[in-house]
């Protein structure tokens, strides 16, 4: 079975989140993406502590397509330094994990 990852990013609006999610699925670098928000993010940027609403996008992808997903997010994301955090899926439904692998396979593009 392929190695599967969840990959998290955040963005400043629901519209930006949906555009990132849709673009990744259309390019088959993610099998699906879930959008959650708004969430409140507190962070330091340009020397100041800020509190901003953000929307989280959680992509499901194969480890083999991670590099392409990261490149897509970096290119399409409106932030100068987007959050991109990948977490390995250590267990899951075999049918679901197989589906993620099939949907992100290079042969499917």
């Amino acid at each position: 079975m392929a190695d599967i990852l969840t990959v998290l990013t955040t963005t400043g609006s629901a519209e930006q989140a949906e555009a990132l999610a849709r673009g990744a699925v259309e390019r088959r670098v993610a099998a699906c993406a879930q959008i959650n928000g708004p969430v409140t993010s507190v962070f330091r940027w340009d020397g100041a502590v800020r509190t901003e609403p953000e929307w989280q996008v959680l992509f499901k992808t194969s480890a083999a397509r991670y590099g392409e997903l990261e490149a897509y997010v970096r290119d399409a994301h409106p932030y100068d330094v987007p959050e991109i955090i990948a977490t390995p899926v250590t267990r899951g439904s075999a049918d679901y994990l197989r589906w993620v692998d099939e949907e992100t396979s290079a042969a499917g593009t």
Side-chain angles (χ1 to χ4, degrees), residues 16-95:
Q16 291 169 350
E18 185 172 345
L20 286 170
R22 183 170 292 282
V25 172
E26 287 173 349
R27 288 165 178 76
R28 298 182 80 96
V29 295
C32 68
Q34 295 170 317
I35 299 167
N36 184 33
V39 298
T40 301
S41 293
V42 180
F43 56 96
R44 184 182 306 276
W45 188 254
D46 290 335
V49 175
R50 299 177 185 212
T51 302
E52 301 283 342
E54 290 189 301
W55 281 254
Q56 296 176 323
V57 183
L58 185 65
F59 303 97
K60 284 45 164 276
T61 193
S62 62
R65 295 303 294 265
Y66 172 79
E68 293 165 274
L69 175 59
E70 181 181 337
Y72 162 73
V73 171
R74 285 181 182 278
D75 184 57
H77 206 290
Y79 290 1
D80 292 337
V81 182
E83 173 184 17
I84 305 172
I85 298 174
T87 305
V89 174
T90 59
R91 293 182 189 240
S93 159
D95 291 340

